[in-house]
Amino acid sequence: MSYDAAILQVLAEAGNDGLSVRKIAHHVLNACNSLFEPVEYTTVHAYVQQFLIRNSKTTNALIERTETRGKYRLNLNNVGNQQLMLQFCDEVEIEEEQNCPPEDQSLSLF
């Protein structure tokens, strides 16, 4: 999973309250870190911080700052974000359907 997709997914799950840069960086680190490709927290934090600043500059940006300093959330007024939220919701439903055990359709003995 790329850092950009992980950041957007974390912000989509965070909702309207948003998350701080530190918490977003921790979520991205946990999502992208692996045994064979270890990632340092400082590089992930720097990338997340730059990504959030770069994508929250304009009023119609993908991400917006909240009233609290250092917190970011998805800009729900952006048309692209509405499509993004639907895309993430569809992925969650597909994963839930795959995790369901199959129904027992064997005949009863009694």
Side-chain angles (χ1 to χ4, degrees):
M1 176 181 284
S2 70
Y3 291 162
D4 296 348
I7 292 169
L8 294 175
Q9 186 173 7
V10 167
L11 288 174
E13 292 174 1
N16 199 27
D17 295 335
L19 285 175
S20 67
V21 177
R22 182 181 57 82
K23 288 186 179 183
I24 296 170
H26 277 288
H27 284 285
V28 172
L29 177 72
N30 290 337
C32 297
N33 199 9
S34 70
L35 181 64
F36 300 109
E37 294 182 28
V39 181
E40 291 186 27
Y41 174 75
T42 55
T43 58
V44 172
H45 186 273
Y47 182 85
V48 168
Q49 191 173 23
Q50 290 172 357
F51 179 84
L52 292 173
I53 291 171
R54 185 175 54 242
N55 290 310
S56 66
K57 289 194 178 224
T58 63
T59 57
N60 196 22
L62 186 65
I63 299 168
E64 67 180 354
R65 294 178 181 171
T66 62
E67 294 78 29
T68 309
R69 182 176 179 259
K71 282 189 158 186
Y72 293 88
R73 65 179 169 211
L74 287 178
N75 184 1
L76 298 178
N77 297 329
N78 189 341
V79 177
N81 281 347
Q82 294 171 357
Q83 178 64 32
L84 184 68
M85 293 294 282
L86 291 174
Q87 181 181 357
F88 282 130
C89 290
D90 289 343
E91 287 179 5
V92 171
E93 290 176 7
I94 291 171
E95 289 176 6
E96 289 176 359
E97 290 175 3
Q98 292 175 352
N99 292 337
C100 294
E103 282 187 36
D104 184 23
Q105 296 181 351
S106 62
L107 298 174
S108 175
L109 296 175
F110 301 103

